Amino acid sequence: SNENVTGNYSITCNNGTLEVTKAPLTITANSNSWVYTSSVHKDSGYSVNTTNKLQGTDAISAITVTGEITNVGTVANTITPASVKIVNGSNENVTGNYSITCNNGTLKVTKAPLTITANTNSWTFDATSHTDSGYSVSATNKLQGTDAISAITVTGEITDVGTCDNVPSGAVVKNGETDVTANYEISYVNGTLTVTQSGALTANVTS
């Protein structure tokens, strides 16, 4: 009959416990690759895992991604865990609510193509040896930045009428005093040396 019988009970109330544990959050630094340009390359970007993600309106307000590369090879692109700051929609720092895992990315530089062509030249026959140690660098597959060829061998020699190859090899590329040859995939193209007959031919006639 809906009568209040609370007084018939000796009631003991025990507290329960409500617990919120940290949410997992995985952040991965960007990976990126470039062809060698002689410049420093960086990528400060990152991505947040779609499963171990930010909650609600929370957002990353600060993060430091450290990694840089100039020469051919790979380096780690790393996130400094202590640099990560997460704020909620009221701009309150809620970083402590997350168990943060930071994964590295990879930065990579690959070799730049470089094409070197030995000179082509021709002479009229004069009974002397002719050489041409000159060369040219492709306007497309070129030297990068302030890099320069500091040494190269061009081998070709011709005396008699005919042709021979003018062969480039052994290029050394430097940036200032630093040897950066390993940053290039070098292609060599032969030139041609030619000796032609003299237009003035003398005939000795014996009668």
Side-chain angles (χ1 to χ4, degrees):
S1 60
N2 203 30
E3 293 176 306
N4 186 341
V5 293
T6 310
N8 294 333
Y9 290 88
S10 175
I11 301 172
T12 301
C13 296
N14 295 324
N15 291 340
T17 301
L18 303 179
E19 182 180 9
V20 173
T21 58
K22 292 185 177 185
L25 175 65
T26 302
I27 308 170
T28 302
N30 280 4
S31 291
N32 211 332
S33 65
W34 303 267
V35 176
Y36 171 76
T37 64
S38 87
S39 300
V40 177
H41 296 285
K42 301 178 182 180
D43 189 332
S44 60
Y46 60 91
S47 61
V48 175
N49 187 280
T50 54
T51 303
N52 296 344
K53 59 186 180 180
L54 291 160
Q55 303 298 317
T57 59
D58 292 355
I60 294 172
S61 66
I63 189 171
T64 301
V65 180
T66 305
E68 62 178 49
I69 189 169
T70 300
N71 297 313
V72 168
T74 59
V75 299
N77 203 25
T78 61
I79 297 171
T80 306
S83 74
V84 179
K85 181 182 178 183
I86 302 166
V87 296
N88 62 17
S90 302
N91 206 36
E92 296 170 319
N93 188 341
V94 293
T95 311
N97 292 329
Y98 289 90
S99 176
I100 302 172
T101 300
C102 296
N103 294 327
N104 294 343
T106 302
L107 304 182
K108 181 178 182 180
V109 168
T110 58
K111 291 186 177 186
L114 175 63
T115 302
I116 301 172
T117 302
N119 280 4
T120 290
N121 211 333
S122 64
W123 302 267
T124 301
F125 176 77
D126 60 3
T128 62
S129 174
H130 296 281
T131 61
D132 188 333
S133 61
Y135 63 91
S136 61
V137 174
S138 166
T140 306
N141 295 344
K142 60 186 179 179
L143 291 159
Q144 302 296 318
T146 58
D147 292 356
I149 294 174
S150 65
I152 189 171
T153 301
V154 178
T155 305
E157 182 177 348
I158 191 168
T159 301
D160 297 327
V161 171
T163 62
C164 75
D165 287 335
N166 204 24
V167 183
S169 63
V172 176
V173 183
K174 288 192 174 182
N175 184 291
E177 295 300 314
T178 304
D179 189 329
V180 294
T181 310
N183 290 322
Y184 290 92
E185 189 69 49
I186 303 176
S187 300
Y188 295 102
V189 179
N190 293 346
T192 303
L193 303 182
T194 303
V195 169
T196 58
Q197 288 184 341
S198 171
L201 295 176
T202 304
N204 293 322
V205 179
T206 304
S207 58

